[in-house]
């Protein structure tokens, strides 16, 4: 397994950093974490994520825990097929700039949100909103790596009080779409169920992993 200093270099922390805040990208420990598993993730196939919180000023305190939990849920699910989440960076769009995007209604508003803001780096832009009306998440399928491209250039997810794994599926599910996957009618799969209603499921099939590994956001190796 690579060393901690190699891992920090991989995520752009050449001077080193904190294990929780930088290596994992969390503000608190959401569920059991394996440092060894995270080092292995950075050694192999992984992608970086920008968590962009939309109008978070008035969010209740459980939301921070849930976002960290949902990211780790995704790490644990994707880890079963040899895919990791590398660097996680946190951003916020303040309420006075987010305006009506604080609550998203459907695909076109979600798409507009991703077109209106972007983080100019090589990470997947994951927009977290408190509530999406008429949907549980939106994402491009096989999304662009050119964030100035037309259309949806990120994934949009929402939060659920008291349902951390449900939110976790939403994070994994929408990022799975961005990385090239469509729904599959398989119970237990993170993209399964009827019309993509995948509940709290975390199963990832090998072929789904192989497909995601071909996406342009995917990095291979720690350098
Ligand atoms: Zn879906």
């Amino acid at each position: 397994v690579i060393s901690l200093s190699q891992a920090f270099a991989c995520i752009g922390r050449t001077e080193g950093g904190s294990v929780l805040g930088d290596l994992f990208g969390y503000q608190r420990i959401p569920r059991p974490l394996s440092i060894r598993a995270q080092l292995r993730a950075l050694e192999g196939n992984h992608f970086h994520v920008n968590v962009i919180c939309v109008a978070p000023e008035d969010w209740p305190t459980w939301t921070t825990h849930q976002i960290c939990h949902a990211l780790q849920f995704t790490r644990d699910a994707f880890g079963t097929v040899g895919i990791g989440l590398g660097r996680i960076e946190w951003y916020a769009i303040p309420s006075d700039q987010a305006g009506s995007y604080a609550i998203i209604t459907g695909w076109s508003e979600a798409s507009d949100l991703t077109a209106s803001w972007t983080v100019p780096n090589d990470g997947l832009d994951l927009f977290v909103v408190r509530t999406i009306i008429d949907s549980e998440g939106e994402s491009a399928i096989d999304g662009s790596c050119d964030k100035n491209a037309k259309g949806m250039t990120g994934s949009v997810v929402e939060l659920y009080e008291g349902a951390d794994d449900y939110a976790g599926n939403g994070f994994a599910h929408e990022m799975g779409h961005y990385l090239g996957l469509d729904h599959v009618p398989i119970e237990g799969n993170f993209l399964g169920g009827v019309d993509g209603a995948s509940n709290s499921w975390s199963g990832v099939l090998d072929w789904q992993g192989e497909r995601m590994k071909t996406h342009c956001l995917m990095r291979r190796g720690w350098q």
Side-chain angles (χ1 to χ4, degrees):
V1 187
I2 61 172
S3 70
L4 262 182
S5 57
Q6 287 170 326
F8 283 129
C10 171
I11 57 174
R13 301 283 187 277
T14 50
E15 304 297 314
S18 95
V19 169
L20 186 64
D22 295 310
L23 184 64
F24 286 96
Y26 300 151
Q27 292 145 15
R28 48 194 296 171
I29 297 174
R31 57 194 237 159
L33 304 177
S34 162
I35 294 171
R36 185 180 181 82
Q38 182 57 9
L39 294 176
R40 283 212 183 284
L42 294 176
E43 191 177 41
N45 293 279
H46 62 275
F47 61 102
H48 298 321
V49 177
N50 304 308
V51 176
I52 305 169
C53 299
V54 182
E57 290 93 332
D58 298 327
W59 288 0
T61 51
W62 60 262
T63 57
T64 301
H65 171 88
Q66 183 164 98
I67 293 168
C68 295
H69 179 100
L71 291 165
Q72 187 60 33
F73 180 101
T74 304
R75 278 185 162 130
D76 291 342
F78 287 8
T80 64
V81 293
I83 293 175
L85 274 61
R87 182 192 69 228
I88 291 174
E89 294 183 342
W90 292 69
Y91 299 88
I93 302 171
S95 298
D96 60 354
Q97 292 177 36
S100 64
Y101 290 122
I103 296 174
I104 293 292
T105 307
W107 168 272
S108 71
E109 195 173 21
S111 182
D112 290 348
L113 171 66
T114 70
S116 299
W117 283 275
T118 192
V119 180
N121 64 15
D122 56 353
L124 194 163
D125 287 348
L126 179 71
F127 293 83
V128 183
V129 298
R130 183 67 189 82
T131 302
I132 302 174
I133 309 283
D134 295 336
S135 162
E136 300 182 339
E138 302 283 0
S139 182
I141 293 179
D142 197 11
S144 178
C145 289
D146 172 10
K147 296 189 195 175
N148 295 317
K150 280 198 161 53
M152 200 157 196
T153 54
S155 297
V156 184
V157 295
E158 65 175 333
L159 301 172
Y160 306 89
E161 185 168 11
D164 290 345
D165 282 352
Y166 197 82
N169 171 272
F171 279 47
H173 182 118
E174 298 308 330
M175 290 195 280
H177 279 320
Y178 204 87
L179 297 173
L181 297 177
D182 210 336
H183 297 146
V184 291
I186 300 170
E187 191 156 335
N189 191 270
F190 82 118
L191 283 160
V194 177
D195 297 329
S198 50
N199 298 307
S200 303
W201 295 335
S202 61
V204 185
L205 295 165
D206 286 340
W207 68 262
Q208 291 176 312
E210 294 310 308
R211 177 73 184 83
M212 290 193 282
K213 286 173 191 172
T214 67
H215 191 271
C216 51
L217 281 179
M218 200 65 66
R219 299 163 54 91
R220 292 163 198 88
W222 65 274
Q223 289 173 313

